[in-house]
Amino acid sequence: MAGVEHTEPLATRVLGAAGRLATRSLIIAILLVAWETFARSGAVTMFMLPPLSLVLERIWSDALGGDLWLNIGVTLYRAIAGFLIAAVAGVVLGMAMSRSKIMSWFFDPIISVGFPMPKIAFLPVVILWLGVYDISKITIIVIDAIFPVIAATALAVQGVERELIWSARNLGTTDRRLMWDVLLPAALPQILTGLQVALPIALIVCIITEMSMGGYGMGGAMQSASRFADSRGVFAGIVEIAVVGYVLIKAMAILRRRLLIWHQEANEPTTA
């Protein structure tokens, strides 16, 4: 009987997650069928909205030719490189701001002003300084993605329960051990939330910079297709970006659950 009592909740969670996944998949399937049906209804021209089947044919052709994998690889390299730099720098700076009054005094006004500002506005300046190569694209990604990481980290560390810190201090914990053994684990859920916000920002900004500067990458391919009035190429790029973005977000959600296996949210139902 004891084994049944432990199995039933797990089975219920699995069935619930499967049901939610099936519902989401059904909704997406309905939208895709509606796209194909509307595009072939004659209400719009093939140029304005090519059918999904033709768009998928274009994606398949690009995959066989190698262009798809090249563009996805270049975009992921830029987006993930910028995200990782923003993640490391943002966590370090956020923790420093939460523990040092001088760091907080200096950086807090910058974060307060810069967070709501559309950082993509600095793109022309970055191009003037660094040119149109990868370093400029990665730089603007870092500038955009670092703010939510800093804010989430600083707030998370400041929100750690005082009792945990007092208890660690009473046990003779040094500042370094306090940071790694108490503050960082306690703040990790909120820090990961900031990283989950920063990751899609990194991808979005990467696509925008590629559209603006041209060259290889999914954004550059879409811009080239638009210039040559290649409607299927433009919509193929939209589908590709949507799939890549979905995979990145799901991968980040899975990583979160692995890192927070000790946390209560790991027992909550999920479709990730």
Side-chain angles (χ1 to χ4, degrees):
M1 293 298 292
V4 174
E5 291 175 358
H6 287 290
T7 303
E8 287 180 350
L10 177 60
T12 301
R13 290 199 299 269
V14 171
L15 289 176
R20 286 187 294 273
L21 179 60
T23 301
R24 293 178 182 179
S25 300
L26 179 61
I27 293 173
I28 294 175
I30 291 173
L31 291 175
L32 295 179
V33 171
W35 176 1
E36 179 76 16
T37 303
F38 182 70
R40 293 187 179 278
S41 67
V44 293
T45 64
M46 292 283 187
F47 176 77
M48 294 177 60
L49 183 65
L52 175 62
S53 57
L54 297 182
V55 172
L56 294 179
E57 287 180 8
R58 173 59 181 272
I59 295 174
W60 179 252
S61 175
D62 290 343
L64 292 178
D67 290 340
L68 174 64
W69 311 118
L70 173 62
N71 290 324
I72 290 178
V74 170
T75 296
L76 285 178
Y77 157 68
R78 293 166 179 160
I80 294 178
F83 167 74
L84 291 177
I85 295 172
V88 174
V91 170
V92 171
L93 185 54
M95 296 188 76
M97 288 176 60
S98 67
R99 303 298 295 169
S100 170
K101 291 183 178 180
I102 295 177
M103 294 289 289
S104 179
W105 170 82
F106 181 82
F107 284 104
D108 187 67
I110 299 175
I111 302 302
S112 299
V113 173
F115 199 113
M117 179 182 179
K119 274 74 70 178
I120 196 67
F122 287 103
L123 182 58
V125 178
V126 173
I127 293 175
L128 286 175
W129 289 355
L130 302 176
V132 295
Y133 303 104
D134 282 352
I135 187 172
S136 60
K137 296 180 175 72
I138 294 174
T139 298
I140 197 67
I141 291 170
V142 173
I143 293 173
D144 261 277
I146 196 172
F147 281 86
V149 181
I150 294 174
T153 302
L155 292 174
V157 175
Q158 291 171 1
V160 174
E161 296 179 1
R162 300 297 97 181
E163 291 79 2
L164 291 176
I165 300 176
W166 294 337
S167 299
R169 290 294 191 190
N170 290 333
L171 293 173
T173 305
T174 62
D175 288 340
R176 178 176 296 181
R177 300 307 304 177
L178 178 69
M179 183 68 72
W180 286 102
D181 294 345
V182 178
L183 295 178
L184 187 58
L188 189 57
Q190 193 167 342
I191 293 175
L192 289 174
T193 298
L195 294 176
Q196 285 181 292
V197 173
L199 182 57
I201 290 176
L203 179 61
I204 293 168
V205 174
C206 182
I207 297 297
I208 293 174
T209 58
E210 290 174 347
M211 287 181 175
S212 300
M213 301 182 193
Y216 291 108
M218 292 190 290
M222 282 186 63
Q223 188 67 13
S224 297
S226 177
R227 288 173 181 170
F228 289 98
D230 182 3
S231 179
R232 288 199 300 168
V234 173
F235 280 91
I238 294 174
V239 173
E240 293 160 9
I241 292 170
V243 172
V244 170
Y246 179 81
V247 171
L248 285 179
I249 290 173
K250 283 298 182 183
M252 191 66 188
I254 293 172
L255 177 62
R256 179 192 181 98
R257 290 184 63 82
R258 296 296 180 269
L259 293 177
L260 297 180
I261 193 66
W262 51 269
H263 197 267
Q264 62 180 9
E265 75 174 53
N267 296 321
E268 296 176 357
T270 180
T271 57

